[in-house]
Amino acid sequence: MLSVAAPPRAIVTRPAREAAQWVTDLQAHGIAAAALPLIAIGAVADPALREALQRARARLGSYRAVMFVSGNAVQYFFEENQAPGLSQKALAAINTRVWAPGPGTVAALRQTGLPASRIDAPGADAAQFDSEALWQVVAPQISPGDRVLVVRGSSAPAAEGGNGREWLAGQISAAGGAVDFVAAYERRAPRLDAAGQALARTAAGDGSLWLLSSSEAVTHLAAALPGQDWSRARALATHPRIAQAARAAGFGTVLECRPSFAEVVASIESPHEQ
């Protein structure tokens, strides 16, 4: 007779706002979940980065396309515009495409009022939601002389223009285009309090399933608990590069799945049918 064991507790490591929503949604599916944000998100603090961000906002119309790396990039790029609806008006008035690597970023763009017809993103059936999948969709748009703005985050210490998406920039350059980068937000290592550290140490060996959506989060976890034995820890990674980082950190079991919520839920539940 088929018996179904309860799925493991999920440890959600996304930034705090996203983690809270994921915990709520997982619990609604009958999955025990706890938030342990491993990336802290905030507005850029460096004056030079803030000035560069304002300049980028002012010259949106000069770009063939604007690529937002995440929902956080969308939120922080538009949140300081003074006039209500400026994001919609600015993008509607210019011939600029808007690129998104996955459904979360698309949803954030739609929340600004941007119509779906202006957004290019990998299809819902894409094997991954990343730069490689996005490039397959948008490559025909780029001609010699075109410029693309990549709106991304900056990891501490702050770097000019932020960090990440160099592969995509290389493809654009090879097609004859040029890329400008701007940092719209900062990613920082969180400060785990005593309760957070206790949760992490317990979850390292009690069968909990760590939901990992960022290699940077893995780095922050290892730094927060130096010397921790992760050989009994289990992780579910939403990209092969994240899975590689988890294995390098010492996680004993690392599963992989696409980053959609439905597939994460299915992956959590499927190993527990006996």
Side-chain angles (χ1 to χ4, degrees):
M1 179 177 178
L2 181 67
S3 62
V4 180
R9 176 179 60 171
I11 305 299
V12 184
T13 62
R14 291 171 176 265
R17 181 170 57 89
E18 300 168 43
Q21 186 61 56
W22 271 72
V23 166
T24 297
D25 293 344
L26 288 169
Q27 290 174 343
H29 281 75
I31 297 172
L36 187 66
L38 292 178
I39 297 178
I41 300 293
V44 290
D46 183 271
L49 294 185
R50 295 184 66 84
E51 290 178 10
L53 180 56
Q54 292 288 15
R55 290 195 299 269
R57 288 169 174 151
R59 60 174 190 262
L60 278 177
S62 67
Y63 292 102
R64 181 69 183 87
V66 179
M67 187 270 190
F68 292 91
V69 305
S70 65
N72 285 313
V74 175
Q75 176 190 351
Y76 284 96
F77 187 84
F78 290 124
E79 74 168 358
E80 293 185 3
N81 287 323
Q82 298 299 312
L86 180 57
S87 60
Q88 300 97 305
K89 293 177 182 177
L91 289 173
I94 58 180
N95 186 29
T96 299
R97 300 298 300 175
V98 181
W99 298 354
T105 309
V106 171
L109 288 166
R110 294 301 310 279
Q111 287 177 359
T112 73
L114 191 70
S117 61
R118 300 293 303 279
I119 303 170
D120 301 303
D125 59 349
Q128 281 293 338
F129 301 125
D130 55 17
S131 293
E132 289 87 341
L134 175 62
W135 182 243
Q136 294 179 25
V137 175
V138 302
Q141 296 181 17
I142 300 301
S143 300
D146 286 338
R147 299 194 73 85
V148 175
L149 176 67
V150 175
V151 182
R152 60 185 182 175
S154 178
S155 299
E160 181 178 356
N163 310 86
R165 305 295 169 165
E166 281 74 17
W167 182 89
L168 180 63
Q171 304 309 303
I172 295 169
S173 297
V179 179
D180 292 335
F181 291 102
V182 67
Y185 64 98
E186 290 182 353
R187 296 186 302 267
R188 312 177 185 96
R191 294 183 179 179
L192 294 187
D193 58 17
Q197 291 187 26
L199 172 60
R201 294 190 188 282
T202 299
D206 69 353
S208 294
L209 189 62
W210 291 77
L211 305 187
L212 301 176
S213 57
S214 166
S215 299
E216 195 169 9
V218 179
T219 299
H220 291 167
L221 178 62
L225 280 79
Q228 175 64 44
D229 178 10
W230 298 103
S231 62
R232 295 172 55 205
R234 303 170 64 248
L236 179 62
T238 56
H239 194 280
R241 285 191 288 269
I242 303 171
Q244 182 180 8
R247 294 185 182 103
F251 275 73
T253 301
V254 181
L255 309 173
E256 298 181 37
C257 77
R258 294 168 74 241
S260 74
F261 179 78
E263 294 194 34
V264 169
V265 169
S267 296
I268 294 172
E269 294 177 339
S270 62
H272 304 282
E273 293 186 359
Q274 301 176 358

